[in-house]
Amino acid sequence: MIANSTQVGTILEMEFAAACMERGGMVSRPIADCYPYDLLVDNGSCLYKIQVRTARMPIGTVWSVRLTPGNGILKLYAPDSVDFVVTKIEGLWRFVK
């Protein structure tokens, strides 16, 4: 049983990392938890900073994904801090640039 949102987020990060590696990507994870991104994904020609976010339950047909760091500060990620925000909705990975 998943006990908290941190565990849910970690599982989602690992699922995304596995999906990237299955497609030939090289995935790294920062040792410290003080960076604005969760994963670095190298496709052989580019290195991408990826923030994996969980999607909230839909309201009608609209899903909600918070685009602010989880440090209690309500401001958007700086443009150069992440390349993509990624979430999984209904089994499909969704990317926000």
Side-chain angles (χ1 to χ4, degrees):
M1 180 175 172
I2 299 171
N4 60 51
S5 61
T6 300
Q7 288 176 322
V8 171
T10 300
I11 290 168
L12 198 62
E13 288 172 23
M14 296 299 100
E15 286 181 10
F16 183 73
C20 290
M21 290 186 290
E22 287 172 352
R23 290 162 179 78
M26 295 172 276
V27 180
S28 299
R29 190 171 182 191
I31 293 172
D33 195 26
C34 60
Y35 298 100
Y37 52 87
D38 295 315
L39 302 169
L40 293 172
V41 178
D42 185 343
N43 68 1
S45 60
C46 293
L47 188 67
Y48 298 100
K49 296 177 278 187
I50 306 292
Q51 175 59 235
V52 181
R53 304 299 295 186
T54 55
R56 305 273 184 234
M57 296 301 289
I59 301 170
T61 58
V62 178
W63 286 80
S64 172
V65 177
R66 193 178 79 197
L67 297 178
T68 58
N71 58 9
I73 299 170
L74 294 178
K75 67 177 188 174
L76 295 175
Y77 291 101
D80 61 345
S81 64
V82 297
D83 296 310
F84 294 100
V85 175
V86 180
T87 193
K88 193 174 190 180
I89 298 173
E90 296 179 348
L92 298 173
W93 291 106
R94 309 293 180 161
F95 292 75
V96 177
K97 179 131 172 92

